Amino acid sequence: MDKRKTALVTGGSRGIGRAVCVRLAQAGMNVVFNYCQGKKAAEETVELCLKEHVNAVAVQADVRCAEDCQRLVKEAQAAGGGFIDVLVNNAGITRDNLIIKMSDKEFDDVLDVNLIGYFYMMREVSKIMLRQKSGKIINISSVVGVIGNAGQVNYAASKAGVIGMTKSLARELASRKITVNAIAPGMIETDMTDAVTESARERMLAAIPFQTMGKPEDIANAAAFLAGEESGYITGQVICVDGGMAI
Ligand code: NAP
């Protein structure tokens, strides 16, 4: 039987999620991840993981849907021989607008994916990790959830909410030595930040003490640390990987 650990990553088809899948594969873990719309991109992530000589499975699932999350978790559990060792909640979206222009839909859409989707995944995976008395949950939040950002009240609410859920679940699961931590990325080069206007980009770059954007691999390295044995006594924490933005 394959004794490798199994990691479940949401939003593994692109960006930070893909980098996390590949990094965990490099650490020797089998990877199950979901994509929502990007089937072809998901297949590329599978190929990249397979090069690391682990198993990799892509599952179509929309994290806004509780049944999809249940199915995704079941597939990961089956791939892991009954176990899920690591959950990385990463799938996320932005719908930026100033509050006076922000529609109910723009607010709700972001909360549905970034907050409720994380909740569905943590609820299902916690049941398994409690039974197995081990596991590591890593939630990708954002520096925006720590320090806020004009034009992103919806996104900031979701990402600050993720930090609250992380700390609360860390307390709930601590007696079983299950760790729950968050990573708060700063401005990272992905499709998400490609979409911001040039003026917003310049404003954000000016706010980064390092004066450069981060790479998906910077976040993936932090995730690999939190998913590994060396972080076993760390729980309920938020690690900012942001070139100093939140100082
Ligand atoms: P990205 O490149 O836009 O990728 C988003 C990923 O989420 C894709 O894999 C996408 O899947 C998936 N996804 C979107 N909606 C989904 C849904 N309803 N159900 C399931 N999957 C869904 O984003 P990113 O920049 O890598 O961001 C990843 C995470 O890091 C997000 O939580 C984001 O908020 C956070 N973050 C990013 C930055 C940054 O600067 N980039 C900074 C701070 C925090 P498909 O493509 O298959 O649809």
Side-chain angles (χ1 to χ4, degrees):
M1 191 180 138
D2 191 349
K3 291 274 198 287
R4 288 182 184 279
K5 291 197 166 172
T6 298
L8 172 54
V9 180
T10 67
S13 46
R14 293 185 280 131
I16 291 170
R18 171 183 281 178
V20 169
C21 289
V22 173
R23 183 64 185 80
L24 296 183
Q26 286 167 351
M29 295 184 197
N30 292 327
V31 178
V32 178
F33 67 92
N34 86 291
Y35 63 95
C36 189
Q37 297 179 348
K39 184 166 196 277
K40 192 165 178 303
E43 285 165 1
E44 287 168 21
T45 301
V46 168
E47 289 302 315
L48 290 168
C49 292
L50 292 178
K51 280 188 188 156
E52 306 299 334
H53 310 292
V54 299
N55 290 335
V57 180
V59 179
Q60 196 287 327
D62 186 333
V63 296
R64 294 172 297 184
C65 170
E67 289 75 24
D68 275 22
C69 291
Q70 286 163 5
R71 178 173 48 81
L72 173 61
V73 169
K74 279 209 171 76
E75 295 222 24
Q77 193 180 16
F83 287 82
I84 297 177
D85 300 285
V86 175
L87 167 67
V88 182
N89 263 321
N90 163 83
I93 61 167
T94 53
R95 296 286 182 270
D96 298 352
N97 221 335
L98 296 173
I99 194 163
I100 55 172
K101 294 181 181 167
M102 188 173 286
S103 66
D104 293 355
K105 182 166 170 26
E106 284 169 334
F107 192 88
D108 291 348
D109 283 353
V110 169
L111 272 286
D112 282 350
V113 179
N114 297 8
L115 191 67
I116 298 176
Y118 279 39
F119 160 68
Y120 288 152
M121 292 301 298
M122 287 196 289
R123 182 174 60 185
E124 296 312 311
V125 169
S126 291
K127 294 173 191 169
I128 293 164
M129 289 183 172
L130 279 167
R131 269 201 302 276
Q132 68 194 26
K133 298 190 181 66
S134 66
K136 287 166 171 290
I137 297 176
I138 300 157
N139 290 323
I140 307 298
S141 175
S142 168
V143 69
V144 170
V146 180
I147 61 173
N149 191 29
Q152 290 195 310
V153 293
N154 50 358
Y155 186 73
S158 72
K159 294 302 184 178
V162 163
I163 291 172
M165 289 202 296
T166 299
K167 289 175 188 260
S168 299
L169 189 60
R171 288 181 183 275
E172 273 189 42
L173 303 186
S175 65
R176 304 292 172 92
K177 306 290 182 284
I178 298 162
T179 66
V180 189
N181 291 289
I183 297 172
M187 202 176 171
I188 309 298
E189 288 172 3
T190 68
D191 294 343
M192 186 177 275
T193 45
D194 271 356
V196 304
T197 62
E198 201 48 45
S199 64
R201 177 184 299 270
E202 278 171 23
R203 188 166 44 81
M204 288 177 87
L205 270 175
I208 306 174
F210 266 29
Q211 298 180 337
T212 53
M213 290 174 67
K215 301 212 176 303
E217 291 73 22
D218 294 318
I219 309 307
N221 285 332
F225 170 67
L226 290 173
E229 299 305 323
E230 295 84 358
S231 62
Y233 201 55
I234 300 174
T235 197
Q237 300 305 303
V238 183
I239 300 184
C240 293
V241 182
D242 63 358
M245 276 180 96
I247 294 170

